[in-house]
Amino acid sequence: MLKLFCPDIYIENIYKLDLQYIKRKNIKGILIDLDNTLLPWDSVYIEDRLMGWINQCQEEGISLCIISNNKYGRIKHCAEQLGIPAVFGSFKPFKKVFKRGLDILGTQAEQTAVLGDQIFTDILGAKRMGLFAILVKPINDQEFYWTKIMRKLENLLLKIMESKKLISLNR
Ligand SMILES: [Mg+2]
């Protein structure tokens, strides 16, 4: 049961992701969350550093696709600005959004990772689909009211998984 919530890697932020390690795992595509993973919640300002990271992924042959539970207009705007595709009209952790993402990336499940900041959407969805799951710390603590409530439960789960040595934060 716990393994459905347990990420394969837990990192401080996207810039800490070791792309060579990912490539050695034969991962060719990443389904990536938007809010508090790529951008602060509800922000549309895109730092040069973020564009640099996206370019670096693409140069390494890793395709990206956004999967987000935020509003259509916001996802579309950000995806266009970032120059990467996005899945619309379905929600994490339901399988449909991940299946659509795999279609867009053109990758098999075992070649695909999910990168996100929430256990009950990003990680649970990844694990249900047999995808490699990468958890990042949220960029900041501004988010939906509902997400803030879920964070309390997430933090408890993280503590349990850490105490069982199932995860450790790679800083
Ligand atoms: Mg998020």
Side-chain angles (χ1 to χ4, degrees):
M1 178 65 185
L2 206 53
K3 65 181 186 216
L4 273 178
F5 302 102
C6 189
D8 296 290
I9 309 180
Y10 181 29
I11 50 178
E12 189 84 26
N13 57 55
I14 57 167
Y15 305 107
K16 295 286 165 72
L17 182 62
D18 182 346
L19 295 180
Q20 299 311 316
Y21 173 78
I22 287 296
K23 282 170 72 176
R24 285 199 297 278
K25 289 262 169 202
N26 199 32
I27 285 164
K28 309 227 184 299
I30 303 176
L31 298 171
I32 190 158
D33 172 55
L34 186 61
D35 289 287
N36 263 333
T37 298
L38 284 182
L39 295 175
W41 182 67
D42 246 13
S43 163
V44 289
Y45 175 71
I46 294 165
E47 291 180 333
D48 290 345
R49 190 184 184 198
L50 175 56
M51 279 317 300
W53 182 82
I54 287 170
N55 291 335
Q56 200 188 342
C57 288
Q58 286 162 345
E59 280 163 18
E60 295 288 352
I62 299 168
S63 306
L64 303 174
C65 175
I66 292 173
I67 49 168
S68 168
N69 286 358
N70 207 314
K71 295 185 285 286
Y72 173 85
R74 169 165 164 69
I75 304 168
K76 186 169 182 288
H77 173 81
C78 293
E80 282 172 2
Q81 296 298 306
L82 294 166
I84 49 182
V87 176
F88 298 105
S90 46
F91 293 89
K92 301 175 284 186
F94 296 116
K95 286 185 175 176
K96 197 171 166 188
V97 63
F98 298 91
K99 284 180 183 161
R100 283 192 183 169
L102 290 179
D103 285 344
I104 291 172
L105 290 174
T107 53
Q108 302 296 315
E110 60 275 15
Q111 300 173 314
T112 312
V114 174
L115 175 55
D117 70 301
Q118 286 192 56
I119 290 176
F120 298 113
T121 54
D122 304 306
I123 304 305
L124 175 61
K127 287 286 154 184
R128 290 180 74 212
M129 288 288 294
L131 310 178
F132 191 79
I134 308 163
L135 182 67
V136 287
K137 286 195 146 191
I139 293 173
N140 64 35
D141 62 5
Q142 285 194 322
E143 45 202 355
F144 284 116
Y145 176 72
W146 173 247
T147 311
K148 284 186 183 183
I149 294 170
M150 295 307 282
R151 286 279 181 218
K152 293 192 194 317
L153 204 50
E154 278 188 1
N155 288 334
L156 183 67
L157 256 179
L158 282 172
K159 281 204 179 97
I160 293 169
M161 292 190 287
E162 276 168 339
S163 72
K164 289 180 180 288
K165 305 258 189 287
L166 293 171
I167 54 164
S168 66
L169 182 66
N170 287 331
R171 288 175 194 279

